[in-house]
Amino acid sequence: MNQGMDPQDQRNFIIAIVLMLVFVFGYQTFVLQPQEEARLEAQEQAEAERETGVPQAGDTIEPVAAAESVEDALSANTRLTLDAARVDGSIRLRGAILDDLQLKDHYTTVERVNELRLLRPTNFDHGYFASWYWFDGNQPVTGPATEWQVQGNPTLSTGSPVTLTYEGNGVSIERTISVDENYMFTYSDRVTNTGSEARTLAPLGSIRRQGQWKEFLETTDPGSSNTGGMAHMGLIGVFDNNLTWRNYKNLDKGKGLKDSDDLGVRRASEGGWLGFTDKYWMTTLIPEQQYEFAGRYQRLSRETGPVMQLTVASATRVIEPGETVTSENRIFAGAKELAVLDTYQEGGVPRFEDAIDWGNILYYITKPLFSLLRWLEGMVGTFGLAILALTVLVRLPLVPLYNQSYKSMAKMKKLAEPMKEIQERFKEDPQRRQQEVMKLYQREKANPIAGCIPILLTIPVFFALYKVLFVTIEMRHASFLYINDLSAPDPTAIGNLFGLLPWAAADVKAIPIIGLVIGIGILPILYGVTMSGIQALSPPPTDPTQKMIMRFLPLIFMFVFAGFAAGLVLYWVWSNVLSLVQQYFIMRRNGVETELDKLIGRLLGRKKEDA
């Protein structure tokens, strides 16, 4: 910290601090914890009724009155039971539509009571469903209203597929639906031309989401609609190895696939996929990778509300009379777990791991950082301990730099008295005062900004860790000590005596105005305490205004950190503790008496007096 500031420098310092605080609170308010936005009014978007060269599913789900509950909606249609390794639910037999899917390993709350429901019935307000159909040009051969017949086993499970058949519209189709040990559904079709003329057919996949997107997300995973821009949510896909995306807000505004033609169609010749992604969950259509395919996004307006629809059309197949062709297309519907996505990517689905929003700039830090965390978790047992171990590993290469920094601080601490003398001697001459300060620095070989360098080097890790904690599902509901979710803010609060009183910390934090104070948890308080400890070991500013501002910074950042993920605050508190220990011993080795020594001395002196 620069000593002996003249009025101009002092004013600049105050302005810098104010701007920094405005940035911190602005970032917290408008990025990390954005307020719920007003619902966007549904916009009418007419469907293009002209030849596109790509078959389109259109509005083929029959308009029916929405059921009052998911259970009522499910009971309205004949279904195949789904009970696989990691998912359960059912498939609507009419249309062979996957519209009832729950994830066995993931829950809506940390209490792990209700399985998370990802897909919902077609006749429900917030329906979310997918299937594969067959089209002849723009005319459906099979569609959502197609009545499929079950052959044999009526229950779909891992290792036990179901077989459906359909005959009509001049074709005979045998469809086998299978599901693997994770979240991949495969629709394998054998299509036979039963007519007397050649047919040109193409498989077409469709995903539809019904209702306002924010309401939809809240019905799936409460609280997930507010990502603060840290995680992409909306349309996502890969065309010819190029990743594309469009967030829900822009989809609401009528924007569609990037780099598409006038009708919203985008084509790929080297494989890819297209789907909807949320913070932790995703549903995608994966056509056969050896064929060209075309994708399209449409926003439809219905009396029941807006509808978002994605379609993927694979290449056409010419089928001669009596000839049979086979086609194998897939639907991924599940959690964005890196190990699972990597497995599918290795199996031929291009760039599937990029469904996790690692960040465009931080990608080269976030992904390795997450891999390191996973490895450490395997070594120490929990993500909480892994974060503590990560903090140590991040600091180890910087130990020499920290040592030099703290040695410089020790010198600055020793110069406190000479600085004070210079301040008094040249009180009326700011220019001369500054010159004398610089001479003192040169003579004692002290660097006032050396203490900032290690912090600057750890800032990228800080932001990368925040990103990792926020976007990776492996951190969701990961517990450590009293913390039940490292990806969420500290669950304790002053107002409930840190969990001793019966009301929830979230209720305390929601109290207007006062909740800002009594809603602070244990970790943010520890951060403020450790930050104050570091300040006590650092050279104090001689300027009274600077000193006052620096004293308030721990308190201010304590409030800011109250809204951060607990895992991130845990990292920073532990880093502060390590800094305190290292800095204290270096100060002692350099013969500097710290505020801590003075405090201990006063306590020991008082004990002697008491004795």
Side-chain angles (χ1 to χ4, degrees):
M1 183 68 65
N2 194 9
Q3 310 283 339
M5 280 191 174
D6 61 26
Q8 179 69 25
D9 289 337
Q10 178 176 308
R11 188 187 68 179
N12 293 340
F13 175 78
I14 295 174
I15 291 175
I17 290 294
V18 170
L19 289 176
M20 180 183 69
L21 295 178
V22 169
F23 170 77
V24 169
F25 281 107
Y27 191 75
Q28 175 77 4
T29 303
F30 299 109
V31 178
L32 299 181
Q33 294 179 300
Q35 297 297 318
E36 188 74 17
E37 297 180 356
R39 187 179 306 167
L40 295 173
E41 186 177 347
Q43 300 176 358
E44 290 289 337
Q45 182 178 345
E47 297 182 63
E49 296 182 355
R50 42 186 165 161
E51 184 65 33
T52 66
V54 178
Q56 299 298 325
D59 191 15
T60 50
I61 295 294
E62 51 277 283
V64 294
E68 293 184 359
S69 67
V70 171
E71 290 71 22
D72 290 341
L74 293 174
S75 64
N77 293 282
T78 305
R79 297 185 165 274
L80 295 170
T81 301
L82 168 62
D83 188 8
R86 303 192 67 187
V87 294
D88 57 18
S90 62
I91 295 176
R92 198 183 90 166
L93 191 56
R94 183 156 51 91
I97 298 174
L98 183 60
D99 69 342
D100 174 27
L101 185 72
Q102 297 183 113
L103 310 185
K104 290 184 175 181
D105 301 330
H106 298 283
Y107 300 84
T108 55
T109 62
V110 293
E111 288 76 21
R112 300 175 66 86
V113 175
N114 298 315
E115 292 179 1
L116 187 133
R117 180 181 294 279
L118 179 59
L119 302 183
R120 276 156 289 182
T122 60
N123 52 328
F124 188 61
D125 273 340
H126 296 98
Y128 186 18
F129 44 90
S131 189
W132 281 92
Y133 312 111
W134 284 89
F135 271 67
D136 183 350
N138 277 337
Q139 299 301 314
V141 175
T142 66
T146 297
E147 297 289 349
W148 292 87
Q149 304 299 317
V150 184
Q151 302 296 314
N153 173 36
T155 300
L156 174 60
S157 60
T158 303
S160 181
V162 295
T163 300
L164 310 178
T165 59
Y166 167 77
E167 190 162 349
N169 289 331
V171 298
S172 174
I173 303 176
E174 180 182 278
R175 166 168 287 182
T176 301
I177 303 177
S178 59
V179 58
D180 67 5
E181 65 277 8
N182 290 302
Y183 308 113
M184 190 70 79
F185 293 81
T186 301
Y187 281 54
S188 300
D189 292 343
R190 286 174 50 84
V191 184
T192 302
N193 182 355
T194 59
S196 58
E197 297 181 355
R199 301 288 299 275
T200 302
L201 306 181
L204 181 137
S206 172
I207 302 176
R208 294 188 62 163
R209 302 187 78 154
Q210 300 174 169
Q212 294 287 349
W213 65 271
K214 280 195 175 181
E215 293 178 0
F216 184 96
L217 294 178
E218 289 300 317
T219 60
T220 302
D221 189 6
S224 65
S225 63
N226 284 335
T227 66
M230 291 297 290
H232 168 69
M233 299 198 303
L235 179 154
I236 189 169
V238 169
F239 290 78
D240 294 333
N241 209 44
N242 294 313
L243 186 68
T244 187
W245 60 87
R246 184 79 77 180
N247 64 38
Y248 285 125
K249 292 180 182 179
N250 283 322
L251 293 178
D252 248 350
K253 296 174 182 177
K255 296 181 180 179
L257 271 168
K258 294 180 180 179
D259 300 322
S260 60
D261 61 22
D262 293 340
L263 298 174
V265 176
R266 181 170 176 177
R267 293 171 174 80
S269 59
E270 298 178 4
W273 47 273
L274 184 64
F276 288 119
T277 182
D278 300 331
K279 184 177 179 181
Y280 298 123
W281 330 105
M282 182 172 68
T283 303
T284 62
L285 300 165
I286 306 172
E288 293 178 284
Q289 297 298 292
Q290 71 268 32
Y291 294 108
E292 297 179 355
F293 79 93
R296 187 187 188 194
Y297 168 77
Q298 293 169 287
R299 188 177 190 278
L300 314 173
S301 295
R302 298 293 172 261
E303 291 182 1
T304 54
V307 175
M308 292 185 291
Q309 177 173 270
L310 285 177
T311 52
V312 167
S314 189
T316 57
R317 329 287 162 86
V318 177
I319 311 176
E320 299 296 335
E323 184 183 3
T324 298
V325 299
T326 60
S327 180
E328 186 174 281
N329 301 283
R330 291 175 287 176
I331 297 172
F332 173 92
K336 297 191 294 185
E337 301 164 358
L338 179 59
V340 173
L341 299 180
D342 276 343
T343 299
Y344 294 134
Q345 183 166 305
E346 291 169 3
V349 184
R351 299 191 63 174
F352 213 46
E353 69 174 25
D354 289 332
I356 299 173
D357 185 2
W358 300 107
N360 293 332
I361 298 176
L362 291 175
Y363 173 86
Y364 297 101
I365 304 177
T366 51
K367 195 167 181 293
L369 191 65
F370 174 74
S371 298
L372 177 58
L373 268 176
R374 288 289 284 175
W375 179 79
L376 289 171
E377 186 226 0
M379 297 293 291
V380 299
T382 68
F383 268 116
L385 290 175
I387 290 172
L388 299 183
L390 173 72
T391 310
V392 175
L393 290 180
V394 168
R395 290 179 62 90
L396 278 178
L398 300 177
V399 166
L401 194 59
Y402 272 109
N403 286 342
Q404 292 300 320
S405 171
Y406 296 148
K407 287 179 182 178
S408 178
M409 286 185 182
K411 289 182 180 180
M412 294 298 297
K413 195 88 170 175
K414 287 182 177 180
L415 296 180
E417 287 301 322
M419 292 290 297
K420 190 174 180 180
E421 292 178 7
I422 292 175
Q423 289 276 359
E424 293 175 355
R425 283 177 56 195
F426 303 102
K427 196 172 185 179
E428 305 299 329
D429 190 351
Q431 186 174 358
R432 177 69 185 280
R433 184 174 65 225
Q434 191 68 20
Q435 291 173 352
E436 293 298 323
V437 167
M438 296 306 298
K439 289 179 182 178
L440 182 63
Y441 288 161
Q442 292 173 358
R443 185 170 62 250
E444 299 295 333
K445 297 181 180 180
N447 185 353
I449 65 171
C452 302
I453 297 174
I455 295 175
L456 292 176
L457 292 176
T458 57
I459 283 177
V461 177
F462 173 81
F463 282 108
L465 182 61
Y466 180 82
K467 182 82 170 175
V468 166
L469 288 169
F470 198 85
V471 304
T472 54
I473 194 171
E474 288 81 358
M475 298 294 180
R476 182 179 185 264
H477 296 174
S479 60
F480 180 64
L481 299 178
Y482 71 92
I483 304 165
N484 51 24
D485 187 355
L486 286 169
S487 68
D490 191 307
T492 62
I494 297 173
N496 68 356
L497 296 183
F498 307 112
L500 296 177
L501 297 180
W503 49 81
D507 297 332
V508 174
K509 295 174 183 178
I511 300 174
I513 303 177
I514 192 175
L516 183 66
V517 177
I518 65 174
I520 298 178
I522 294 173
L523 277 178
I525 291 174
L526 287 176
Y527 175 80
V529 170
T530 54
M531 187 177 178
S532 296
I534 290 175
Q535 281 191 0
L537 294 178
S538 302
T542 56
D543 182 82
T545 305
Q546 291 182 43
K547 188 178 292 186
M548 180 184 67
I549 292 174
M550 296 302 291
R551 282 178 179 174
F552 276 102
L553 278 182
L555 182 64
I556 293 170
F557 279 98
M558 188 169 66
F559 285 111
V560 173
F561 272 61
F564 280 24
L568 186 70
V569 187
L570 177 66
Y571 161 81
W572 209 252
V573 169
W574 180 232
S575 181
N576 280 356
V577 170
L578 296 177
S579 293
L580 273 170
V581 174
Q582 185 180 4
Q583 188 171 351
Y584 176 75
F585 280 104
I586 289 177
M587 290 286 187
R588 291 298 303 272
R589 286 181 61 184
N590 283 270
V592 177
E593 185 181 23
T594 67
E595 296 298 324
L596 181 60
D597 292 318
K598 293 178 181 178
L599 176 62
I600 294 173
R602 285 195 295 268
L603 292 174
L604 292 177
R606 183 174 298 176
K607 284 184 178 180
K608 291 178 181 179
E609 292 175 3
D610 292 343

